[in-house]
Amino acid sequence: KQEVTQIPAALSVPEGENLVLNCSFTDSAIYNLQWFRQDPGKGLTSLLLIQSSQREQTSGRLNASLDKSSGRSTLYIAASQPGDSATYLCAVEETSGSRLTFGEGTQLTVNP
Amino acid sequence: GAVVSQHPSWVICKSGTSVKIECRSLDFQATTMFWYRQFPKQSLMLMATSNEGSKATYEQGVEKDKFLINHASLTLSTLTVTSAHPEDSSFYICSVQRGQGHKPQHFGDGTRLSIL
């Protein structure tokens, strides 16, 4: 059974700092990995999707990497802003279908 | 604009009542819809996968008679929590998918369910 772990559970940084969020998964037989953002009491917004054959994806200040063989992914946020404050979830999609397994998330607070 | 509409966004009701949550796909016909549950400070857990016109597939440990899912059309799925109890209080989120297999899921804004 796939298990996804995210470290740290919570992170508080001053504005402008670069930061890294970590995600690990136990079964490397994945189709893709996604990073989502969740604001309090809201649904999920997809940030980046990395296919299993890819090593990284970039969107603006966000960069996600994937090392499938070691079961790890990182989300790098450059020059953090207070508006980045949210919970960040990673999820892996299994190869046999579209089932997503989520980590418990990292709650990020960026202080002005 | 929003791809998925989930209603209601928040509901409070007494123990023993049944609660229906709607999930609508606004932009496309959703062959597949998913229902997730999220407890505070925890991750999303898949409850069931719903394909239009067929019975939902429930994840292990999810009671199908407790959580009734109806996917009667390609744009609407409903989740009914029957005889709800305080332990059913949670955040319920749906997602929609165009087609089956490896297609993106688009998530609703969730429903906060509080059972007194």
Side-chain angles (χ1 to χ4, degrees):
Chain A
K1 178 187 174 186
Q2 179 73 268
E3 293 183 3
V4 180
T5 304
Q6 290 187 245
I7 295 173
L11 182 62
S12 181
V13 300
E15 182 177 3
E17 200 162 288
N18 302 325
L19 55 99
V20 176
L21 308 182
N22 297 289
C23 172
S24 62
F25 46 96
T26 55
D27 186 350
S28 61
I30 63 169
Y31 186 78
N32 62 43
L33 182 144
Q34 279 193 75
W35 282 92
F36 292 90
R37 169 184 174 137
Q38 184 178 29
D39 292 291
K42 294 292 187 180
L44 276 63
T45 300
S46 180
L47 299 173
L48 290 165
L49 183 150
I50 311 176
Q51 300 290 351
S52 62
S53 59
Q54 297 176 321
R55 298 286 291 183
E56 66 177 339
Q57 282 286 338
T58 298
S59 176
R61 294 182 294 108
L62 305 180
N63 176 278
S65 68
L66 173 64
D67 184 342
K68 199 175 88 162
S69 60
S70 67
R72 294 178 184 177
S73 176
T74 61
L75 178 65
Y76 175 82
I77 302 178
S80 58
Q81 302 171 357
D84 295 331
S85 298
T87 296
Y88 291 81
L89 296 164
C90 75
V92 297
E93 182 173 337
E94 60 187 26
T95 55
S96 58
S98 51
R99 192 178 185 279
L100 295 178
T101 302
F102 286 84
E104 293 190 348
T106 294
Q107 185 173 356
L108 173 66
T109 303
V110 181
N111 301 300
Chain B
V3 177
V4 182
S5 172
Q6 194 171 333
H7 179 80
S9 57
W10 195 6
V11 58
I12 302 174
C13 59
K14 294 180 179 180
S15 183
T17 58
S18 293
V19 180
K20 180 184 285 188
I21 303 169
E22 292 187 349
C23 178
R24 292 182 184 274
S25 178
L26 303 179
D27 275 8
F28 54 81
Q29 294 183 326
T31 308
T32 307
M33 292 187 176
F34 302 86
W35 287 96
Y36 296 85
R37 179 168 53 184
Q38 185 179 34
F39 291 107
K41 303 289 186 184
Q42 294 186 25
S43 186
L44 276 74
M45 297 298 294
L46 180 64
M47 298 175 68
T49 302
S50 170
N51 292 300
E52 187 267 339
S54 62
K55 290 184 179 180
T57 301
Y58 290 80
E59 294 297 304
Q60 190 173 11
V62 178
E63 301 175 56
K64 62 180 181 181
D65 295 328
K66 172 79 172 175
F67 300 97
L68 301 179
I69 292 173
N70 184 290
H71 190 164
S73 78
L74 285 169
T75 59
L76 174 65
S77 176
T78 61
L79 168 67
T80 301
V81 184
T82 61
S83 187
H85 292 285
E87 59 266 29
D88 298 322
S89 299
S90 187
F91 192 58
Y92 293 86
I93 306 177
C94 72
S95 70
V96 305
Q97 183 182 58
R98 194 202 316 247
Q100 297 181 5
H102 300 296
K103 302 290 193 309
Q105 291 184 32
H106 303 270
F107 289 82
D109 274 350
T111 297
R112 172 76 57 197
L113 175 62
S114 297
I115 308 298
L116 304 177

